[in-house]
Amino acid sequence: MDRMAERDAMDLVLYHGREGFVHHMQKVCDFMLQQGGEHPVFRLWRGFALASQGRVTEAIRDYTTATGRREVQIAVFTAHIAALKSQRQIDQDTIDDIETKLMVEEKSATPGAWLQCAAIHWMLGDHIKARDTCQKALDGQQTDSYINPQSLLGWINLSSKRSAFVEKSITNFEKAIDSSQDGIPNHVDAHLGKIAFLDHKRNWSAAIQVVNELIASAPSNDLLNIVNIEKAKILIKKGQWGMAAETAQRLLNKEPTNIQALMIINLYLLVEECRYSVAANSVRELWKALEIGEPKTHTLYAMISRTIARMSGGSTQILHTTQMLMNKACDLQPKSAEYISEKAFQLSLAGEWSRALEAYRQALQVDDGNLGALHGIIRSQLMLGKLDEAEQQLEFLNQMQISERPAELCYLTAVMRWRKHRNQAASIESIDEAVAIHAKQCTSGSASYAFYEQFNPQLLLAIIREYLQHCPTEPLSPTDPPSTIASKTRKPLELLVKHVKGSLEGQLLLARIDFIENDLEKAQISINSCIRTDPTFAEAHLLAAQIAYHQENYNQAQQALEQSMTEFEVRDWPQYNLLKARVANAVGKHEDALKDLEHALALTKQMVQGKRYRPLNVQDHVSIYLELAEVQVKLKNYSVAEETITEALSIFRGTPEEGRVVIAQAMIVCKKDVEKGLSMLRSVTTESPYFLKAKAHMANIYLNVRNNKRAFAKCYEELVEAFPTVGSYLFLGEAYMSIQEPEKAIATFEKARAMDPNDAEMSSKIGMAFVTTHDYQKAIQYYKNAVKAEPKKLALRHDLANLYWKLGSYSDAEEELKTSLIRKEKDRSNSDDLHTSMDDVRTLLLLAKVYKSSGDLKKCSEALIQARVCQNTVIQKVRGEQPELEQQQRRLGANICVELGEHYRRQKMPEKAVVFHNEALKQDDTHSRSMLALAQMYSDKGDLDGCEHQANSLLKVDPANEEASMMLADIMFRRNNYEDATFHFQQLLEKKPGNYGALVQFIQLLKRAGRLYEAPPFFTAAEKHARRSEPGLHYAKGLYFRYTNNPREALRHFHKGRSPRDSRWSEKCTCQMIEIYLNPGSEAQWSTEGEGEEQTDMTENITWAQSLLKDVKNKEKKKILEAYVLVAKRKTNDLEKALAMFYDIMTSSESDQSQKPATEIINVPCIVGMATVLQMMKQTPKARNHLKRVAKAPYNQDEADEFERAWLLLADIHIAGGKYDLAQVCIFYLRFLHAKILHQLSHDSCTLIVGVPSVRGTSVTSSRSNAVKSERLIPSVTKYFCICNCCNKLFQAFHKSNCRIL
């Protein structure tokens, strides 16, 4: 401790006293007594510090030493009396004697003595005496070298509970600050008071400003430290937790045992990050610091223990340390019922209910009126299944506390009403009351140890979990009863997450509410965040499994279930066994499902009987019975299934869930007797929350089983009669739509809209109904009128623009969207900028889609870039304030970047595409589309390492991603690791034989590896999986037959794959058919041998190809194929037309670029087409010059065949000109290209060129002539195999040093 002035030392004494750090107060006094000799003021406060630590004898000794000094006499007497009264055995005679002396001394006391006495009264908590005494000091109008009277009065007023005095305190502090000499703010205590007042008024920005001024002028390091502590506290209340933690850490670097800095670090770890393992170590460090710095301050031990235990998240490591702290407090104050009760509470948090119950009873023995102990006993008895004993205690407490019941008592009442009496309505009423009381208690507080002790997240989580017992457990379907409980549960959850941002349990329960409300994406984001923070969080894995099951991703659900078993006790949760059974049932493992459900039912019965307690949702309870009955039906155990349903009816009769059981029973009966099942469904009354669901099942039976559309509609008409609500009319309208009666649907929707005129969604449904009638003009007119009536409803404008887009009226769609943007700009000043920016993003994205469809790619990219700018603005506005919304907006920003990346990729500008895809990953590091796109681009340019890295990263994020798995298999093929690659594809196709994209890619890779003979077994597996004629399967088989030189079979399968309902494979099949018709033998089109002979044979093929061209939607592909049709005719005029068409295509694609790219954009298919035509027209030099441009083009795997054709043609040109060395260069490049794209030399055309040996001498020349001669004699594809044989013979005839067969 540095040498300091008396005023500074007194400021430290008062500060430590206010904060409860009495041993620190003692150390300051000891230092001043050692530094300046005997000093009555610091002797007084040393005695006070000792008395506060329970060391009364030592304190009295100090008071005796200070007696007789007028400047502290009355303060000494006051403190002495308080110390004597704090002892168990009170010496009343001594107290009376001192009080007599005090009365005498008060008559001649100095202002300084009155100030010290006022400070003592204030520290003892007597604000009235403190204020009166301080006022006497102010009346003396003398200054004091220790305490500023205005500053002390300000603190007294600020700490009182009367708002009038609190408001006066700032005036006191300002007067104290103004009294500073020479403008130097030497009254640190007054500045701290001003900071505390600003904190009370929640004006934290102004408080930080005062703190910074005080830091700049702090007179000593000790005062600087406490100012920095106050700064950290204010930063926490501002929500700047990171900066607060940094400030505290800087203090710890200088003073590792700084208790307040460690308290701030612990609060940061528990509130902001919820890193319980790290926090456990930090709490132990705090314990050690307390042992050093405040070994006897039981109040501090108790306060820290209470707060951290409530923030522990149930961590056993943290609770062990807090229990040790509480034990220390109990040792210092063994007769404190409050401390013993807290010790019991912490045992209950650790799940030790029996020990907790015993400790609560010990607390009652010390103080039989301790409410905390009474509440704890009731809760322990509830958890231990002692319901009767708990109910007696609870009735007694409820009678005692009728007017002001605490939240915990309401919670216990709710548990009892549900646990014992199964009274759902009464239980929910008590939970509502508990939430309201808890929220009221915590509304005005701000982040601090005192606030979080009162906030008690553990109690709030218990209340929320009690809510969840009455909440649905599955996403609500349209026919499910609306859940008011879900919205009720969301409010306390949002309060919890607001104050404890890092609460994993709070985030998970909020994710569960999102799941129930069908916001699966938002729920999955929260779950992923929980799992990243704590990979062993069992409940997060369970909810992830539930979402995967709901999405029918059963493999992922199974994986999540396995990961949830990191906590062994999960196996004894009924919810776990129910979900496990559902997954097993979904994949056909009915016997396993039966075992799991029987185990779940046994666990449930134990809970109901009170043998164990874990909150079980009532819907989960019903689901166990219903799922069990369903499995028994699948196993043909109908009588057992009926018994299960009967048992469920007996349990849930008279409850809201009875209707659900009746519906399940009816659906089982319908399998045998439809009329009896319908009768059961009719028995569900209008009072049941499942009335709507029953009517929906009836309607489906009438429609799907009896094909009675009239009765189907009648069910919903009866629903409207019973409940003429907007929702009922909505269901009726959608029912009419499903049976193709849009006119009735429109009338119904109009009635619903009349009931809720502000519902823009209803207007959209009416518009869609008009679209269904194909009366597009009326639909457009309706939308126009709706937009005119409600110009601020952006959704209606979007629907109208979308309708224009679907009808191909791109200019009208553009005009509507631009109008929307202009209107938003005008309204920006009167609206929420955040929502305006979000609306702008939606509008711009739709505008980009319109531009893309109209072919205006430049405006498309401009709209996307503008949307990206607006989205970045949105992200900036929500950053740090709304974490969930920020995550959603970041994902949308990533999607926009991906769209830009794909746009530039289509425009053959890979550098820009990579930039935007990387930006997408910065916005969302788990964005699978951007990872996949980057992997594909790396693959295209031959960067296998980069491709592999991105694919592996994607699989970490999405282990079930099939595209990434295929890409890794492709890499294995390229690296000639055929066995592993084939095995990889085999595994993928065995899991999902219907993945035709993977099958097609596998066929292409097998072809390039020369292993097409391995393909048929995969076709067999895919055919078994296919329920009908699958276009994707036919496309794959067509490719196989084309690659194996069976054009007839290839055409047959491609023809079967041309389905107008399939947009993915139909056009590909058509293009393949055209190419086969134009070149049945897959021979070199540039060859002019036998020209006249082939002309007659191609006439019918050309006719078929021309008839197929009308089905090609891709404009550029269609033009290229049209040009090849002209090439196939081999007439000079047609060849010239084809050449002109190729040139037009290439120039138009170059002019479409929004700006000149860094590298030349080369249309490889057009160049190959032009070179082919020029070669056929005997213009070989021009053909060669065009082909040389291909070397500059970045490789694109989608154009692999065109790249190969280009190099083969160039090599053929060089061979024909006798330039064998240049031909070899082409072949070497082709080999390099093949090494990248895995076009192996098994390709027929490549074999032709490679068959030309490179040897020296005349004998080799004659060998070449013989090979060429052989090639001319053998037509079609067979010639290539004969050339291979010739080359093999040449290889045997000549030494390897003289002959190379490439």
Side-chain angles (χ1 to χ4, degrees):
M1 187 176 290
D2 299 330
R3 186 175 182 85
M4 66 181 77
E6 293 172 348
R7 171 63 61 82
D8 298 337
M10 196 66 226
D11 287 345
L12 277 174
V13 167
L14 293 174
Y15 174 80
H16 292 313
R18 287 195 301 269
E19 297 296 319
F21 291 84
V22 290
H23 189 66
H24 282 64
M25 182 191 298
Q26 178 194 333
K27 288 196 293 185
V28 174
C29 293
D30 286 339
F31 177 79
M32 294 304 294
L33 290 170
Q34 292 170 7
Q35 175 181 286
E38 185 58 38
H39 207 298
V41 171
F42 292 108
R43 182 65 66 182
L44 162 69
W45 286 103
R46 183 179 187 275
F48 182 85
L50 290 169
S52 300
Q53 297 175 71
R55 298 159 64 181
V56 177
T57 303
E58 297 175 64
I60 291 173
R61 191 179 300 122
D62 278 340
Y63 293 149
T64 303
T65 303
T67 302
R69 304 296 293 269
R70 292 186 66 243
E71 62 267 36
V72 295
Q73 187 68 65
I74 59 174
V76 167
F77 287 153
T78 302
H80 196 166
I81 292 168
L84 291 172
K85 287 182 177 180
S86 68
Q87 291 185 300
R88 294 179 190 173
Q89 294 181 352
I90 299 175
D91 186 353
Q92 191 61 46
D93 293 336
T94 305
I95 292 173
D96 293 340
D97 182 50
I98 296 173
E99 285 179 344
T100 302
K101 293 178 181 179
L102 176 60
M103 292 174 64
V104 173
E105 285 295 328
E106 284 179 347
K107 296 177 182 178
S108 59
T110 64
W114 285 116
L115 273 179
Q116 295 295 333
C117 187
I120 292 292
H121 280 305
W122 176 52
M123 288 290 180
L124 292 172
D126 191 341
H127 290 82
I128 296 174
K129 284 187 178 180
R131 186 178 297 104
D132 293 342
T133 307
C134 189
Q135 192 60 51
K136 291 178 181 177
L138 283 169
D139 293 341
Q141 296 182 352
Q142 292 183 15
T143 60
D144 184 76
S145 58
Y146 297 99
I147 300 176
N148 185 294
Q150 289 290 349
S151 178
L152 178 60
L153 184 58
W155 278 109
I156 294 168
N157 287 333
L158 182 61
S159 56
S160 67
K161 296 182 179 179
R162 294 179 60 181
S163 58
F165 288 124
V166 172
E167 294 299 327
K168 288 180 180 179
S169 65
I170 187 60
T171 305
N172 301 130
F173 293 131
E174 292 289 357
K175 287 181 179 179
I177 293 170
D178 291 341
S179 66
S180 301
Q181 295 177 359
D182 301 324
I184 301 173
N186 56 351
H187 294 301
V188 176
D189 190 60
H191 281 83
L192 291 174
K194 183 176 181 180
I195 292 166
F197 174 81
L198 293 170
D199 176 21
H200 175 78
K201 303 299 286 186
R202 308 176 79 86
N203 189 354
W204 295 308
S205 298
I208 287 291
Q209 186 177 353
V210 177
V211 167
N212 290 334
E213 292 173 1
L214 196 53
I215 288 173
S217 59
S220 69
N221 286 333
D222 297 296
L223 288 172
L224 180 61
N225 288 345
I226 66 172
V227 174
N228 275 308
I229 288 292
E230 293 305 307
K231 179 179 181 179
K233 291 178 181 178
I234 298 297
L235 287 170
I236 285 175
K237 293 174 181 179
K238 284 190 70 178
Q240 296 175 350
W241 286 87
M243 293 178 66
E246 289 175 9
T247 303
Q249 191 59 53
R250 284 196 295 270
L251 289 172
L252 286 174
N253 293 337
K254 295 188 293 184
E255 185 185 353
T257 59
N258 189 307
I259 295 173
Q260 294 206 72
L262 284 167
M263 289 171 66
I264 289 167
I265 292 293
N266 277 285
L267 204 59
Y268 168 74
L269 291 172
L270 293 170
V271 174
E272 189 70 8
E273 295 192 354
C274 286
R275 295 163 58 192
Y276 298 120
S277 58
V278 179
N281 294 327
S282 185
V283 173
R284 283 193 287 271
E285 293 298 321
L286 177 55
W287 179 21
K288 293 177 184 177
L290 281 169
E291 290 289 341
I292 296 169
E294 293 291 335
K296 300 292 184 181
T297 314
H298 60 85
T299 54
L300 201 56
Y301 280 92
M303 183 271 289
I304 291 173
S305 177
R306 279 196 298 263
T307 304
I308 293 179
R310 283 155 179 75
M311 301 297 299
S312 66
S315 168
T316 53
Q317 291 178 305
I318 296 175
L319 286 173
H320 175 73
T321 308
T322 59
Q323 286 170 18
M324 299 301 292
L325 290 169
M326 208 64 233
N327 288 339
K328 180 65 178 287
C330 289
D331 291 341
L332 294 170
Q333 287 289 103
K335 295 299 182 180
S336 172
E338 181 185 353
Y339 290 175
I340 299 171
S341 178
E342 175 62 28
K343 183 178 177 180
F345 175 72
Q346 294 186 22
L347 287 169
S348 71
L349 290 179
E352 299 182 42
W353 294 104
S354 298
R355 289 182 61 196
L357 181 59
E358 183 181 347
Y360 279 128
R361 285 172 175 162
Q362 289 176 7
L364 282 183
Q365 290 175 3
V366 177
D367 179 5
D368 58 1
N370 188 285
L371 289 178
L374 289 169
H375 293 162
I377 286 174
I378 295 169
R379 190 173 183 186
S380 300
Q381 289 170 338
L382 281 170
M383 299 303 141
L384 293 170
K386 300 177 180 180
L387 303 183
D388 294 333
E389 297 175 34
E391 188 172 29
Q392 292 175 6
Q393 299 268 6
L394 194 58
E395 287 177 359
F396 172 70
L397 279 181
N398 278 321
Q399 290 173 2
M400 284 178 59
Q401 299 175 302
I402 297 175
S403 57
E404 296 182 1
R405 298 200 303 169
E408 186 173 8
L409 184 59
C410 297
Y411 159 71
L412 294 173
T413 304
V415 174
M416 178 61 70
R417 286 175 172 176
W418 175 243
R419 182 84 189 282
K420 185 176 182 182
H421 302 292
R422 313 303 287 179
N423 189 335
Q424 188 179 39
S427 178
I428 292 172
E429 182 183 349
S430 294
I431 302 171
D432 291 343
E433 187 180 357
V435 169
I437 293 169
H438 186 277
K440 184 179 179 181
Q441 290 173 345
C442 303
T443 48
S444 59
S446 54
S448 64
Y449 268 72
F451 170 78
Y452 283 112
E453 181 184 343
Q454 185 182 27
F455 186 69
N456 195 352
Q458 295 298 318
L459 173 61
L460 188 56
L461 281 167
I463 293 170
I464 290 166
R465 285 195 177 277
E466 201 63 29
Y467 255 147
L468 286 171
Q469 290 203 76
H470 310 290
C471 200
T473 56
E474 297 292 328
L476 297 175
S477 67
T479 56
D480 282 329
S483 175
T484 57
I485 304 297
S487 58
K488 284 183 176 182
T489 309
R490 182 178 288 279
K491 291 179 181 178
L493 272 172
E494 288 176 345
L495 180 67
L496 174 65
V497 174
K498 175 185 176 183
H499 290 295
V500 190
K501 292 181 181 179
S503 172
L504 295 183
E505 197 168 358
Q507 290 177 28
L508 178 69
L509 295 181
L510 201 53
R512 183 171 292 282
I513 297 300
D514 292 330
F515 170 66
I516 292 166
E517 294 179 347
N518 255 314
D519 194 345
L520 302 187
E521 183 178 0
K522 187 176 178 182
Q524 191 65 60
I525 289 170
S526 299
I527 292 168
N528 292 341
S529 174
C530 290
I531 292 174
R532 278 197 298 271
T533 305
D534 182 6
T536 64
F537 194 5
E539 285 191 74
H541 289 295
L542 275 181
L543 185 54
Q546 199 171 358
I547 292 175
Y549 168 78
H550 181 74
Q551 295 172 332
E552 299 183 0
N553 191 343
Y554 304 123
N555 289 333
Q556 191 171 338
Q558 185 62 44
Q559 290 174 9
L561 282 169
E562 291 172 359
Q563 290 170 336
S564 71
M565 288 191 290
T566 51
E567 294 183 21
F568 187 77
E569 62 270 19
V570 169
R571 302 168 190 266
D572 291 333
W573 294 358
Q575 297 92 329
Y576 165 80
N577 289 279
L578 172 61
L579 184 54
K580 186 181 176 185
R582 281 176 166 170
V583 174
N585 188 27
V587 298
K589 298 180 180 179
H590 305 310
E591 294 290 347
D592 293 342
L594 183 63
K595 292 178 183 177
D596 292 325
L597 287 166
E598 287 174 346
H599 182 49
L601 190 59
L603 292 169
T604 302
K605 289 178 179 178
Q606 289 179 6
M607 290 179 179
V608 172
Q609 292 166 6
K611 294 180 181 179
R612 59 173 72 202
Y613 185 74
R614 177 176 175 78
L616 177 66
N617 184 286
V618 63
Q619 290 206 356
D620 278 342
H621 194 180
V622 176
S623 296
I624 291 171
Y625 281 99
L626 302 189
E627 198 76 27
L628 181 59
E630 182 183 337
V631 171
Q632 289 163 342
V633 167
K634 288 183 178 179
L635 293 172
K636 311 298 183 185
N637 300 329
Y638 296 108
S639 59
V640 181
E642 289 176 1
E643 290 175 5
T644 303
I645 290 294
T646 303
E647 182 182 344
L649 274 174
S650 65
I651 294 173
F652 298 102
R653 192 176 304 281
T655 70
E657 296 302 310
E658 180 183 3
R660 186 179 171 201
V661 180
V662 169
I663 292 170
Q665 186 181 33
M667 299 311 292
I668 292 175
V669 170
C670 275
K671 296 181 182 296
K672 298 179 181 178
D673 188 342
V674 174
E675 188 55 45
K676 186 177 179 182
L678 287 170
S679 177
M680 287 182 173
L681 291 172
R682 291 189 193 100
S683 69
V684 180
T685 63
T686 55
E687 288 77 19
S688 171
Y690 292 97
F691 175 73
L692 173 58
K693 201 174 188 72
K695 284 295 179 185
H697 279 291
M698 287 177 64
N700 287 333
I701 292 170
Y702 280 125
L703 183 64
N704 299 321
V705 178
R706 294 191 167 179
N707 198 24
N708 188 339
K709 294 184 178 180
R710 184 60 254 162
F712 167 77
K714 183 69 175 174
C715 289
Y716 288 103
E717 289 169 0
E718 290 173 356
L719 176 65
V720 170
E721 290 176 6
F723 299 102
T725 62
V726 174
S728 300
Y729 278 108
L730 183 61
F731 283 125
L732 178 59
E734 289 178 345
Y736 283 135
M737 291 289 290
S738 65
I739 58 175
Q740 304 301 315
E741 293 187 10
E743 292 81 6
K744 289 184 178 180
I746 291 169
T748 305
F749 286 141
E750 289 285 7
K751 290 179 181 178
R753 188 171 182 272
M755 297 174 71
D756 187 3
N758 296 322
D759 191 351
E761 183 183 356
M762 196 62 65
S763 299
S764 297
K765 286 185 178 295
I766 297 171
M768 285 187 282
F770 277 120
V771 172
T772 305
T773 64
H774 301 290
D775 191 347
Y776 299 117
Q777 292 305 317
K778 190 173 286 188
I780 290 172
Q781 191 58 47
Y782 177 83
Y783 276 125
K784 283 183 175 179
N785 293 338
V787 168
K788 186 176 181 181
E790 300 173 290
K792 293 186 178 180
K793 293 290 177 64
L794 189 66
L796 292 174
R797 288 187 179 275
H798 284 178
D799 285 344
L800 178 56
N802 208 39
L803 179 57
Y804 279 135
W805 171 72
K806 288 180 179 178
L807 296 174
S809 300
Y810 302 127
S811 58
D812 292 330
E814 179 185 0
E815 182 181 353
E816 192 63 41
L817 292 169
K818 283 186 173 180
T819 303
S820 176
L821 287 172
I822 293 169
R823 180 175 291 277
K824 277 288 177 184
E825 189 64 36
K826 289 180 179 178
D827 296 341
R828 189 178 297 275
S829 59
N830 299 321
S831 64
D832 185 350
D833 285 344
L834 174 60
H835 289 99
T836 301
S837 299
M838 293 169 73
D839 290 342
D840 287 347
V841 171
R842 286 192 287 268
T843 305
L844 287 164
L845 288 176
L846 187 53
L847 189 60
K849 184 171 74 170
V850 171
Y851 285 138
K852 180 180 176 182
S853 299
S854 65
D856 194 339
L857 300 181
K858 181 178 179 181
K859 287 186 177 180
C860 174
S861 65
E862 290 174 353
L864 286 171
I865 289 171
Q866 196 174 349
R868 169 174 159 265
V869 172
C870 290
Q871 186 61 23
N872 287 339
T873 303
V874 171
I875 293 169
Q876 288 291 336
K877 289 177 180 177
V878 300
R879 179 173 294 167
E881 296 181 7
Q882 305 173 56
E884 294 175 358
L885 180 59
E886 180 183 353
Q887 187 68 24
Q888 288 181 347
Q889 295 305 318
R890 282 190 174 281
R891 193 157 191 85
L892 177 57
N895 289 338
I896 295 171
C897 290
V898 167
E899 288 297 325
L900 277 165
E902 290 302 299
H903 168 79
Y904 285 114
R905 188 180 173 197
R906 287 190 296 269
Q907 300 307 304
K908 300 180 182 177
M909 301 169 70
E911 294 83 4
K912 282 194 172 184
V914 168
V915 169
F916 282 109
H917 283 301
N918 281 322
E919 184 177 337
L921 286 177
K922 289 179 182 177
Q923 295 282 16
D924 181 4
D925 57 1
T926 63
H927 200 271
S928 55
R929 281 184 63 196
S930 53
M931 290 182 185
L932 183 62
L934 282 171
Q936 288 170 341
M937 284 189 286
Y938 285 133
S939 173
D940 289 346
K941 67 179 184 180
D943 184 356
L944 299 187
D945 292 336
C947 177
E948 185 176 17
H949 173 73
Q950 288 295 339
N952 285 325
S953 299
L954 177 53
L955 286 174
K956 288 178 183 177
V957 174
D958 182 9
N961 192 286
E962 295 171 354
E963 288 87 349
S965 299
M966 288 191 292
M967 207 162 287
L968 287 176
D970 185 16
I971 291 170
M972 294 175 192
F973 265 105
R974 298 188 192 193
R975 290 173 173 168
N976 298 329
N977 191 353
Y978 306 131
E979 296 298 331
D980 289 347
T982 304
F983 177 76
H984 205 73
F985 262 112
Q986 186 176 355
Q987 291 289 98
L988 183 62
L989 291 172
E990 282 177 357
K991 289 179 182 177
K992 194 173 180 182
N995 186 341
Y996 302 119
L999 182 60
V1000 166
Q1001 187 172 348
F1002 187 42
I1003 297 302
Q1004 290 171 337
L1005 292 174
L1006 287 176
K1007 171 244 185 179
R1008 293 164 187 170
R1011 302 175 63 168
L1012 279 169
Y1013 56 83
E1014 298 181 9
F1018 295 97
F1019 292 140
T1020 305
E1023 285 169 352
K1024 290 180 181 178
H1025 178 268
R1027 298 179 181 176
R1028 54 185 174 81
S1029 180
E1030 293 286 354
L1033 177 58
H1034 286 299
Y1035 180 74
K1037 295 182 75 173
L1039 283 181
Y1040 169 77
F1041 285 114
R1042 186 180 181 189
Y1043 293 155
T1044 54
N1045 302 309
N1046 191 343
R1048 188 178 299 276
E1049 281 297 308
L1051 283 172
R1052 186 169 69 85
H1053 283 287
F1054 284 136
H1055 179 69
K1056 287 183 178 180
R1058 295 176 66 236
S1059 171
R1061 296 180 181 179
D1062 186 274
S1063 59
R1064 182 179 182 186
W1065 303 109
S1066 181
E1067 186 165 328
K1068 291 183 177 181
C1069 289
T1070 302
C1071 293
Q1072 289 287 343
M1073 290 180 71
I1074 294 171
E1075 290 178 6
I1076 292 174
Y1077 278 125
L1078 296 179
N1079 191 6
S1082 299
E1083 59 189 5
Q1085 286 183 294
W1086 57 83
S1087 174
T1088 58
E1089 299 296 330
E1091 191 174 32
E1093 188 178 323
E1094 292 182 4
Q1095 179 65 33
T1096 305
D1097 296 338
M1098 291 297 295
T1099 304
E1100 186 177 356
N1101 287 13
I1102 291 170
T1103 304
W1104 280 109
Q1106 288 174 328
S1107 66
L1108 289 169
L1109 277 170
K1110 66 180 183 295
D1111 294 331
V1112 180
K1113 306 299 182 186
N1114 187 301
K1115 294 179 182 179
E1116 183 174 313
K1117 184 68 176 176
K1118 184 174 183 179
K1119 289 179 181 179
I1120 290 174
L1121 290 172
E1122 286 173 348
Y1124 272 112
V1125 168
L1126 295 174
V1127 171
K1129 294 180 179 180
R1130 293 181 175 269
K1131 293 181 180 179
T1132 304
N1133 290 338
D1134 292 323
L1135 291 175
E1136 291 175 351
K1137 289 179 182 178
L1139 186 62
M1141 288 184 69
F1142 282 127
Y1143 181 77
D1144 289 342
I1145 296 167
M1146 188 164 62
T1147 53
S1148 63
S1149 66
E1150 290 175 353
S1151 64
D1152 283 340
Q1153 307 307 317
S1154 59
Q1155 53 186 333
K1156 187 176 180 181
T1159 58
E1160 181 186 3
I1161 296 175
I1162 298 171
N1163 193 322
V1164 175
C1166 286
I1167 287 178
V1168 175
M1170 293 172 68
T1172 301
V1173 173
L1174 290 168
Q1175 180 68 1
M1176 293 173 69
M1177 295 173 68
K1178 313 295 185 181
Q1179 299 181 29
T1180 301
K1182 289 185 178 180
R1184 182 173 61 246
N1185 292 335
H1186 278 296
L1187 289 170
K1188 288 178 180 179
R1189 296 178 61 196
V1190 176
K1192 302 177 183 179
Y1195 176 70
N1196 180 359
Q1197 193 166 354
D1198 294 336
E1199 298 172 351
D1201 291 337
E1202 280 77 7
F1203 274 93
E1204 181 180 286
R1205 240 181 268 142
W1207 285 103
L1208 289 174
L1209 174 54
L1210 187 57
D1212 197 13
I1213 290 172
H1214 287 316
I1215 289 172
K1219 299 178 180 179
Y1220 304 117
D1221 292 339
L1222 291 177
Q1224 284 187 2
V1225 171
C1226 295
I1227 298 305
F1228 278 124
Y1229 184 84
L1230 187 57
R1231 287 193 67 187
F1232 171 70
L1233 190 64
H1234 288 167
K1236 292 200 301 179
I1237 65 173
L1238 211 120
H1239 279 235
Q1240 297 296 328
L1241 298 182
S1242 59
H1243 191 289
D1244 299 334
S1245 300
C1246 187
T1247 305
L1248 165 63
I1249 305 300
V1250 172
V1252 179
S1254 174
V1255 291
R1256 298 173 184 173
T1258 55
S1259 58
V1260 178
T1261 305
S1262 61
S1263 298
R1264 181 184 61 79
S1265 301
N1266 291 334
V1268 174
K1269 183 178 180 181
S1270 301
E1271 185 269 333
R1272 290 178 179 175
L1273 290 173
I1274 304 170
S1276 192
V1277 176
T1278 312
K1279 60 191 176 184
Y1280 303 127
F1281 297 101
C1282 291
I1283 291 172
C1284 287
N1285 291 333
C1286 292
C1287 292
N1288 285 332
K1289 291 177 182 179
L1290 288 170
F1291 181 74
Q1292 295 171 5
F1294 294 94
H1295 195 271
K1296 288 185 179 180
S1297 61
N1298 295 325
C1299 176
R1300 287 179 298 164
I1301 299 180
L1302 303 178

